[in-house]
Amino acid sequence: MKENLLGIDVGGTKCAIIYGIKENDELHIIDKKKFDTTTVDETIDRILCETEKMMNLHQLTPTNTKAIGICCGGPLNSETGIVMSPPNLPGWDNIPIVAMVEKKTGIKTSLHNDANACALAEWKFGAGKGTKNMVFLTFGTGLGAGLILNGKLYTGTNDNAGELGHIRLSDFGPIGYGKKGSFEGFASGGGIAQLSKMYVMEKLQTGQKVEWCTLQELDQLTARKVAEEAAKGDKLAQSIYETSAIYLGKGLSMVIDILNPEVIVIGGIYTRNKNMMEPIMQKIIDQEALSCANRVCKVKPAALGEQIGDYAALSVACLLYTSDAADE
């Protein structure tokens, strides 16, 4: 059976409207329209306009379209469908985006934060397919997480479950989530950039030369640049990623002990640098995690790649209409 779905992916720099068809356990992306995120009013108007255009182009109606899913950075309220001042969306203060989309389209709509939406996507269509208990980590600019527990998305009392990035792993270390030494501080693009500056500065201040970074270039140092140098065999760059991998292992050991998942799926930087990080991370997990829980848990790279945002928005739509069907 083929089911039409629409997705809206709201990002800090780009937005996208996605049309997909779910057929049995497969999700096929048919069309996508991307555009820049600008002011609040302009962006919302564009979202509504492009959604209407997508519907007209593919002859989608409230009758033949199951649901619309919206994914967006938090904080937000998934029950009321309101976006509440996300840091990457200045001015989006208490925006009732679900009500706006439903009024425009006549199609039932749902909202989830991007980490939860990506967790749904990897669970239903990616690396966590077929599991009952799965944890998803974004490992991008920051460290977001989504939890699938007992075959359901778990969002907590007020949509704040799974904020693993806020866990403090060390009294000292790079700052992430407003906390020095946090999980996000060690396992995110922003955190690795901070680590890199510390390691490189230490070399430069002792009179040593770093071929790939001068003092003037220090502020522009990124996780991607360090990964490129590490892949070339640079020992300093490799030691930076080794530190990140060690703390990734420590954080995941806590997740394994507390939640006992079947699979932990990690996206972003880990997916691109798996070969470099996995052996170190796994060694720490083997040392730290309960052996009985570790034995049944696999850590996998995300499978949906650059399309994960598209799948995420459509997966929110899938969750809405399957939940409705279960309630009937």
Side-chain angles (χ1 to χ4, degrees), residues 33-323:
K33 175 66 177 180
K34 291 176 67 175
F35 50 91
D36 292 339
T37 304
T38 55
T39 64
V40 181
D41 291 340
E42 284 181 356
T43 302
I44 291 172
D45 287 345
R46 190 78 188 271
I47 286 170
L48 298 176
C49 179
E50 294 297 342
T51 301
E52 185 176 46
K53 285 182 181 179
M54 187 72 78
M55 291 176 66
N56 291 336
L57 180 62
H58 296 282
Q59 299 180 321
L60 302 175
T61 68
T63 304
N64 66 17
T65 306
K66 284 286 187 178
I68 298 175
I70 306 172
C71 67
C72 175
L76 52 79
N77 188 319
S78 60
E79 290 190 7
T80 61
I82 294 174
V83 179
M84 303 183 298
S85 308
N88 68 330
L89 291 168
W92 284 64
D93 304 323
N94 298 312
I95 303 295
I97 190 67
V98 165
M100 291 175 171
V101 172
E102 287 185 339
K103 182 179 179 181
K104 183 70 172 180
T105 64
I107 300 170
K108 197 159 185 182
T109 302
S110 181
L111 169 71
H112 275 288
N113 74 47
D114 44 13
N116 286 340
C118 288
L120 284 170
E122 285 288 343
W123 176 47
K124 286 295 186 182
F125 308 107
K129 192 172 182 178
T131 63
K132 191 176 179 181
N133 297 293
M134 186 202 89
V135 176
F136 173 79
L137 299 179
T138 58
F139 205 146
T141 303
L143 185 73
L147 308 178
I148 306 295
L149 303 178
N150 291 326
K152 294 181 179 180
L153 176 66
Y154 179 74
T155 59
T157 304
N158 65 346
D159 284 316
N160 283 297
E163 297 293 2
L164 303 180
H166 199 242
I167 297 170
R168 196 190 301 274
L169 298 179
S170 173
D171 288 338
F172 301 99
I175 298 169
Y177 235 118
K179 183 185 284 186
K180 62 178 181 284
S182 67
F183 197 172
E184 181 175 292
F186 286 104
S188 68
I192 291 172
Q194 290 179 62
L195 271 177
S196 304
K197 291 168 188 175
M198 292 165 55
Y199 277 61
V200 171
M201 179 63 82
E202 185 177 33
K203 291 285 185 183
L204 295 176
Q205 286 188 347
T206 56
Q208 299 178 66
K209 189 176 181 180
V210 178
E211 294 291 339
W212 43 273
C213 184
T214 65
L215 185 62
Q216 291 73 30
E217 295 168 330
L218 197 61
D219 285 341
Q220 284 74 51
L221 199 53
T222 64
R224 183 182 293 274
K225 172 63 175 175
V226 181
E228 290 170 356
E229 297 302 326
K232 295 176 187 175
D234 185 86
K235 297 300 183 186
L236 177 60
Q238 288 175 346
S239 68
I240 293 166
Y241 266 84
E242 180 178 337
T243 299
S244 180
I246 287 169
Y247 281 93
L248 177 62
K250 290 181 178 182
L252 294 187
S253 297
M254 295 180 184
V255 173
I256 290 168
D257 286 352
I258 294 168
L259 297 177
N260 191 199
E262 296 164 71
V263 172
I264 298 173
V265 179
I266 314 179
I269 291 169
Y270 178 81
T271 299
R272 294 190 291 273
N273 300 285
K274 174 178 175 286
N275 292 341
M276 183 164 54
M277 302 188 76
E278 181 183 48
I280 300 161
M281 172 204 74
Q282 192 60 56
K283 181 181 178 182
I284 299 299
I285 291 173
D286 292 342
Q287 290 172 353
E288 297 290 334
L290 285 167
S291 60
C292 52
N294 183 23
R295 192 164 54 245
V296 298
C297 180
K298 294 181 180 179
V299 180
K300 295 182 179 181
L304 298 177
E306 298 303 316
Q307 285 190 301
I308 192 166
D310 305 338
Y311 278 92
L314 294 171
S315 295
V316 173
C318 285
L319 179 67
L320 176 60
Y321 81 80
T322 53
S323 298

